[in-house]
């Protein structure tokens, strides 16, 4: 989610309390946020819901953007977190609605899109990783979902580069184990 310098300037102004800049910022980032959410969530309506949640989170939390890193980096993290939260919420609602019916099952890759099925399985694996080892999940989200380079991950987490690489490696091994051999990792 590369943003131009005008957008970065709007973010800094919005963080300092400029409401006009915030409105313009939200309009500028919406298409990129929706695209990013669409890469994480398989269905457009789910991606749109996550996009709206992200824009709301940006509006509510822009004052927390300190400008130490680029706004685009901060936005990647907010977007990924909102998309994962939306996924958990949808999963919880589906479980509540189907509690009287069939138990919630993992998607059958023979019956659903391979991409959609693997995304759902990946989100399940990420949810398990986050519950067990949140520090590994953070690093993996920044590297593989937000597509930050290793140096940016280390900087964002405030850890040495080697630690960031190690956490990402451990997280990938965990997720690979959770997904199993069917996905050919």
């Amino acid at each position: 989610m590369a943003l131009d310098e005008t957008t970065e300037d709007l973010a800094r102004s919005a963080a300092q309390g400029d409401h006009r800049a915030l409105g313009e910022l939200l309009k500028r980032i919406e298409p990129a946020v929706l695209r990013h959410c669409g890469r994480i969530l398989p269905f457009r309506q789910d991606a749109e819901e996550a996009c709206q949640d992200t824009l709301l989170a940006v509006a509510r939390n822009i004052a927390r953007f300190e400008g130490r890193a680029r706004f685009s980096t901060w936005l990647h993290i907010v977007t990924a977190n909102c998309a994962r939260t939306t996924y958990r919420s949808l999963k919880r609602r589906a479980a509540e609605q189907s509690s009287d019916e069939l138990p919630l099952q993992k998607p059958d890759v023979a019956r659903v899109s391979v991409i959609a099925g693997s995304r759902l399985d990946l989100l399940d694996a990420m949810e398990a990783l986050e519950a067990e080892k949140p520090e590994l999940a953070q690093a993996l989200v920044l590297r593989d979902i937000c597509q930050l380079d290793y140096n940016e991950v280390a900087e964002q987490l405030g850890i040495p580069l080697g630690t960031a690489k190690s956490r990402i490696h451990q997280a990938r091994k965990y997720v690979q184990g959770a997904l199993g051999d069917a996905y050919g990792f």
Side-chain angles (χ1 to χ4, degrees):
M1 210 181 322
L3 302 175
D4 62 18
E5 284 307 312
T6 303
T7 306
E8 294 286 338
D9 292 340
L10 283 170
R12 285 188 284 279
S13 295
Q16 294 172 355
D18 183 341
H19 296 291
R20 183 204 55 77
L22 177 60
E24 180 64 26
L25 175 67
L26 294 174
K27 278 191 263 182
R28 281 176 161 264
I29 66 173
E30 183 175 10
V33 169
L34 182 57
R35 278 191 306 276
H36 193 71
C37 289
R39 284 189 288 188
I40 298 170
L41 296 165
F43 302 105
R44 178 145 179 100
Q45 295 86 351
D46 299 345
E48 289 171 350
E49 183 176 334
C51 177
Q52 291 304 310
D53 291 345
T54 301
L55 296 174
L56 183 60
V58 168
R60 286 182 175 163
N61 298 305
I62 192 68
R64 294 183 185 164
F65 173 62
E66 299 171 352
R68 284 184 281 139
R70 293 184 58 81
F71 173 72
S72 58
T73 302
W74 185 81
L75 182 60
H76 275 297
I77 296 164
V78 172
T79 302
N81 287 340
C82 286
R84 289 172 36 229
T85 299
T86 298
Y87 168 73
R88 284 191 294 270
S89 173
L90 293 168
K91 184 177 172 183
R92 189 173 41 256
R93 280 187 255 161
E96 289 169 0
Q97 290 173 352
S98 66
S99 62
D100 297 331
E101 302 167 9
L102 297 173
L104 187 63
Q105 299 175 6
K106 285 190 172 184
D108 177 3
V109 290
R111 294 181 31 208
V112 299
S113 152
V114 174
I115 293 171
S118 64
R119 284 183 187 164
L120 294 175
D121 288 351
L122 177 60
L123 288 168
D124 284 339
M126 287 294 298
E127 186 175 18
L129 175 64
E130 187 173 32
E132 290 183 34
K133 300 178 181 190
E135 71 283 355
L136 298 183
Q138 286 177 326
L140 186 65
V141 165
L142 291 173
R143 176 68 187 126
D144 290 351
I145 296 176
C146 297
Q147 299 176 337
L148 301 182
D149 67 33
Y150 290 103
N151 289 322
E152 290 172 317
V153 171
E155 180 182 322
Q156 199 66 36
L157 296 176
I159 57 177
L161 178 61
T163 302
K165 288 180 177 182
S166 174
R167 286 182 184 180
I168 292 163
H169 176 73
Q170 290 174 30
R172 286 175 177 162
K173 282 179 62 175
Y174 180 96
V175 169
Q176 181 180 1
L179 293 175
D181 294 333
Y183 290 91
F185 281 99

